[in-house]
Amino acid sequence: MADDVCRRIADDIVLGRFMPGTRLEEITLAEQFGVSRTPIREALKQLAIMGLVECRPNRGSVVASITTERLTHMFEAIGELEAACARYAALRMSESERQQLDALHGEGRAAMQARDMNRYDQHNGALHALILQGSHNPVLIETAQGLRHRVAPYRRTQFTRLDRVAASYAEHCGIVEAILACDAVGAYREMRAHVSSAHEAAAGLAPTVPMRASG
């Protein structure tokens, strides 16, 4: 239950329903989501780990201010990590893993054609997770999974737009084709471009504060 509440609050933050600086009251949230305060408390802890919420002593939890610079840095990092996983997956995936990847991609197409954005999001997550596992590098997988968890709300909320669902699927086509062809260079390139597109879409949705001036 806490995971579901966490996901719903995260979506509300990323989509601007809870603006930066908003105080998140446990009682109010419990009433809003129809749950007890316990899953709310656990969800706020998860959101703090993700960087979406700040827990201040004696002041409760407030929505964190995410700068455009911070969002860019997160997507740059996960882009490199997932691209590296895709490159290794192209070289190391077993035949059964490749078949599973092809099947997941087909299920994603069906979800897109049905305009079922929730189902597409589920298949999108499963496809990316399989590519990470297909790298067969435990250190890389663990690192990528940790950062992917932090940017997940920014990637998930993009699928409120049908045009982004279609674009995401088209980008997956290039990634899957390269991996199935054992094209490590192509897999890296296609995944890196895919995450870059996800960043652009996220930047258009997320309520951020301007990038700090350097110097």
Coordinates of all heavy atoms in Angstrom, one line a residue, residues 44-87:
L44 N 6.3 8.9 2.5 CA 7.1 10.2 2.6 C 8.5 9.9 2.8 O 9.4 10.6 2.3 CB 6.5 11.0 3.8 CG 5.1 11.6 3.6 CD1 4.7 12.4 4.8 CD2 5.1 12.6 2.4
K45 N 8.8 8.8 3.5 CA 10.2 8.4 3.7 C 10.8 8.0 2.3 O 12.0 8.3 2.0 CB 10.3 7.2 4.7 CG 10.0 7.5 6.1 CD 10.1 6.3 7.0 CE 9.8 6.6 8.4 NZ 9.8 5.4 9.3
Q46 N 10.1 7.2 1.5 CA 10.5 6.8 0.2 C 10.7 8.0 -0.7 O 11.7 8.1 -1.4 CB 9.5 5.9 -0.4 CG 9.4 4.5 0.2 CD 8.4 3.6 -0.5 OE1 8.4 3.6 -1.7 NE2 7.6 2.9 0.3
L47 N 9.8 9.0 -0.6 CA 9.9 10.2 -1.4 C 11.1 11.0 -1.0 O 11.7 11.7 -1.9 CB 8.6 11.0 -1.3 CG 7.4 10.4 -1.9 CD1 6.1 11.0 -1.4 CD2 7.4 10.4 -3.4
A48 N 11.4 11.0 0.2 CA 12.6 11.7 0.7 C 13.9 11.1 0.1 O 14.8 11.8 -0.3 CB 12.7 11.7 2.2
I49 N 13.9 9.8 0.0 CA 15.1 9.1 -0.5 C 15.2 9.4 -2.0 O 16.3 9.6 -2.6 CB 14.9 7.6 -0.3 CG1 15.1 7.2 1.1 CG2 16.0 6.8 -1.2 CD1 14.8 5.8 1.5
M50 N 14.0 9.6 -2.7 CA 14.0 9.9 -4.1 C 14.4 11.4 -4.4 O 14.6 11.8 -5.5 CB 12.6 9.6 -4.7 CG 12.3 8.1 -4.7 SD 10.5 7.8 -4.9 CE 10.4 8.2 -6.7
G51 N 14.4 12.2 -3.3 CA 14.7 13.6 -3.5 C 13.5 14.5 -3.8 O 13.7 15.6 -4.1
L52 N 12.3 13.9 -3.8 CA 11.1 14.7 -4.1 C 10.5 15.4 -2.9 O 9.7 16.3 -3.0 CB 10.0 13.8 -4.7 CG 10.3 13.2 -6.1 CD1 9.2 12.2 -6.5 CD2 10.5 14.3 -7.1
V53 N 10.9 15.0 -1.7 CA 10.4 15.5 -0.5 C 11.6 15.8 0.5 O 12.5 15.1 0.5 CB 9.4 14.6 0.2 CG1 9.1 15.0 1.6 CG2 8.1 14.5 -0.6
E54 N 11.4 16.9 1.2 CA 12.4 17.2 2.3 C 11.8 17.0 3.6 O 10.7 17.6 3.9 CB 12.9 18.6 2.1 CG 13.7 18.9 0.8 CD 14.1 20.4 0.7 OE1 13.8 21.2 1.6 OE2 14.7 20.7 -0.3
C55 N 12.4 16.3 4.5 CA 11.9 16.1 5.9 C 12.6 17.0 6.8 O 13.8 16.8 7.0 CB 12.0 14.6 6.3 SG 11.0 13.5 5.3
R56 N 12.0 18.0 7.3 CA 12.6 19.0 8.1 C 12.3 18.8 9.6 O 11.1 18.6 9.9 CB 12.2 20.4 7.7 CG 12.6 20.7 6.3 CD 12.0 22.1 5.8 NE 12.5 22.3 4.4 CZ 12.1 23.4 3.8 NH1 11.2 24.3 4.3 NH2 12.5 23.6 2.5
P57 N 13.3 18.8 10.5 CA 13.0 18.6 11.9 C 12.0 19.6 12.5 O 12.1 20.8 12.2 CB 14.4 18.8 12.6 CG 15.3 18.5 11.5 CD 14.7 19.0 10.2
N58 N 11.0 19.0 13.1 CA 9.9 19.8 13.8 C 9.1 20.6 12.8 O 8.3 21.5 13.2 CB 10.5 20.8 14.8 CG 11.4 20.1 15.9 OD1 11.0 19.1 16.4 ND2 12.5 20.7 16.2
R59 N 9.3 20.4 11.5 CA 8.5 21.1 10.5 C 7.8 20.2 9.5 O 7.0 20.7 8.7 CB 9.4 22.1 9.7 CG 10.0 23.2 10.6 CD 10.9 24.1 9.8 NE 10.1 24.7 8.7 CZ 10.7 25.5 7.7 NH1 12.0 25.6 7.7 NH2 10.0 26.0 6.7
G60 N 7.9 18.9 9.7 CA 7.3 18.0 8.8 C 7.9 17.9 7.5 O 9.1 18.2 7.3
S61 N 7.1 17.4 6.5 CA 7.6 17.1 5.1 C 7.1 18.2 4.2 O 6.0 18.6 4.2 CB 7.2 15.8 4.7 OG 7.7 14.7 5.5
V62 N 8.0 18.7 3.3 CA 7.6 19.6 2.3 C 8.1 19.1 0.9 O 9.1 18.4 0.8 CB 8.2 21.0 2.6 CG1 7.6 21.6 3.9 CG2 9.7 21.0 2.5
V63 N 7.4 19.6 -0.1 CA 7.8 19.2 -1.5 C 9.2 19.9 -1.8 O 9.3 21.1 -1.6 CB 6.8 19.6 -2.5 CG1 7.2 19.3 -3.9 CG2 5.5 18.9 -2.2
A64 N 10.1 19.1 -2.3 CA 11.4 19.7 -2.6 C 11.4 20.5 -3.8 O 10.6 20.3 -4.7 CB 12.5 18.5 -2.7
S65 N 12.3 21.5 -3.9 CA 12.5 22.3 -5.1 C 13.5 21.6 -6.0 O 14.7 21.5 -5.6 CB 13.0 23.7 -4.8 OG 12.0 24.4 -4.0
I66 N 13.1 21.2 -7.2 CA 14.1 20.5 -8.1 C 14.5 21.5 -9.2 O 13.7 22.1 -9.9 CB 13.4 19.3 -8.8 CG1 12.8 18.3 -7.8 CG2 14.4 18.6 -9.7 CD1 13.8 17.7 -6.9
T67 N 15.8 21.8 -9.3 CA 16.3 22.7 -10.3 C 16.4 22.0 -11.6 O 16.5 20.8 -11.7 CB 17.7 23.2 -9.9 OG1 18.6 22.2 -9.9 CG2 17.6 23.9 -8.5
T68 N 16.3 22.8 -12.7 CA 16.5 22.2 -14.0 C 17.9 21.6 -14.1 O 18.1 20.6 -14.8 CB 16.3 23.3 -15.1 OG1 17.2 24.4 -14.8 CG2 14.9 23.8 -15.2
E69 N 18.8 22.2 -13.4 CA 20.2 21.6 -13.4 C 20.2 20.2 -12.8 O 20.8 19.3 -13.3 CB 21.1 22.6 -12.6 CG 22.6 22.1 -12.5 CD 23.4 23.1 -11.7 OE1 22.9 23.6 -10.7 OE2 24.5 23.3 -12.0
R70 N 19.5 20.1 -11.7 CA 19.5 18.8 -11.0 C 18.8 17.7 -11.9 O 19.2 16.6 -12.0 CB 18.7 18.9 -9.7 CG 18.5 17.6 -8.9 CD 19.8 17.1 -8.4 NE 19.5 15.9 -7.5 CZ 20.5 15.1 -7.1 NH1 21.7 15.3 -7.4 NH2 20.2 14.1 -6.3
L71 N 17.7 18.1 -12.5 CA 17.0 17.2 -13.3 C 17.8 16.7 -14.5 O 17.9 15.6 -14.9 CB 15.7 17.8 -13.9 CG 14.7 16.9 -14.6 CD1 14.1 15.9 -13.6 CD2 13.5 17.7 -15.2
T72 N 18.5 17.7 -15.1 CA 19.5 17.4 -16.2 C 20.5 16.4 -15.8 O 20.9 15.4 -16.5 CB 20.1 18.7 -16.8 OG1 19.1 19.5 -17.3 CG2 21.1 18.4 -17.8
H73 N 21.1 16.7 -14.6 CA 22.2 15.8 -14.1 C 21.7 14.4 -13.9 O 22.4 13.4 -14.2 CB 22.8 16.4 -12.9 CG 23.6 17.6 -13.1 ND1 24.1 18.4 -12.1 CD2 24.1 18.2 -14.3 CE1 24.8 19.4 -12.6 NE2 24.8 19.3 -13.9
M74 N 20.5 14.2 -13.3 CA 20.0 12.9 -13.1 C 19.8 12.1 -14.4 O 20.1 11.0 -14.5 CB 18.7 13.0 -12.3 CG 18.8 13.4 -10.8 SD 17.4 13.1 -9.8 CE 16.2 14.2 -10.6
F75 N 19.2 12.8 -15.4 CA 18.9 12.2 -16.7 C 20.2 11.9 -17.4 O 20.4 10.9 -18.1 CB 18.0 13.0 -17.5 CG 16.5 12.6 -17.3 CD1 15.8 13.3 -16.3 CD2 16.0 11.5 -17.9 CE1 14.5 12.9 -16.1 CE2 14.6 11.2 -17.7 CZ 13.9 11.9 -16.8
E76 N 21.2 12.8 -17.3 CA 22.5 12.5 -17.9 C 23.1 11.2 -17.3 O 23.7 10.4 -18.1 CB 23.5 13.6 -17.7 CG 23.2 14.8 -18.6 CD 24.2 16.0 -18.3 OE1 24.9 15.9 -17.3 OE2 24.2 16.9 -19.1
A77 N 23.0 11.1 -16.0 CA 23.6 9.9 -15.4 C 22.9 8.6 -15.7 O 23.5 7.6 -16.1 CB 23.6 10.1 -13.8
I78 N 21.6 8.6 -15.6 CA 20.8 7.4 -15.9 C 20.9 7.1 -17.4 O 20.9 5.9 -17.8 CB 19.4 7.5 -15.5 CG1 18.7 6.1 -15.5 CG2 18.6 8.5 -16.3 CD1 19.3 5.0 -14.7
G79 N 21.1 8.1 -18.2 CA 21.2 7.8 -19.7 C 22.5 7.1 -20.0 O 22.5 6.1 -20.8
E80 N 23.6 7.5 -19.3 CA 24.9 6.8 -19.5 C 24.8 5.4 -19.0 O 25.3 4.4 -19.6 CB 26.0 7.5 -18.9 CG 26.3 8.9 -19.5 CD 26.8 8.7 -21.0 OE1 27.4 7.7 -21.3 OE2 26.6 9.6 -21.8
L81 N 24.2 5.2 -17.8 CA 24.1 3.9 -17.2 C 23.2 2.9 -18.0 O 23.6 1.8 -18.2 CB 23.6 4.0 -15.8 CG 24.5 4.7 -14.7 CD1 23.7 4.9 -13.4 CD2 25.7 3.8 -14.4
E82 N 22.1 3.4 -18.4 CA 21.2 2.5 -19.2 C 21.8 2.2 -20.6 O 21.6 1.1 -21.1 CB 19.8 3.1 -19.3 CG 19.0 3.1 -18.0 CD 17.5 3.0 -18.2 OE1 17.0 2.0 -18.8 OE2 16.8 4.0 -17.8
A83 N 22.5 3.2 -21.1 CA 23.1 2.9 -22.4 C 24.2 1.9 -22.3 O 24.3 1.0 -23.2 CB 23.7 4.3 -23.0
A84 N 24.9 2.0 -21.2 CA 26.0 0.9 -21.0 C 25.4 -0.4 -20.8 O 25.9 -1.4 -21.3 CB 26.8 1.3 -19.8
C85 N 24.2 -0.5 -20.1 CA 23.5 -1.8 -19.9 C 23.1 -2.3 -21.2 O 23.2 -3.5 -21.5 CB 22.4 -1.6 -19.0 SG 22.8 -1.5 -17.2
A86 N 22.5 -1.4 -22.1 CA 22.1 -1.9 -23.4 C 23.2 -2.4 -24.3 O 23.1 -3.4 -25.0 CB 21.4 -0.7 -24.1
R87 N 24.4 -1.7 -24.2 CA 25.5 -2.2 -24.9 C 25.9 -3.6 -24.5 O 26.2 -4.5 -25.4 CB 26.7 -1.2 -24.7 CG 28.0 -1.6 -25.4 CD 29.0 -0.6 -25.2 NE 29.4 -0.4 -23.8 CZ 29.9 0.7 -23.3 NH1 30.1 1.8 -24.0 NH2 30.1 0.8 -22.0

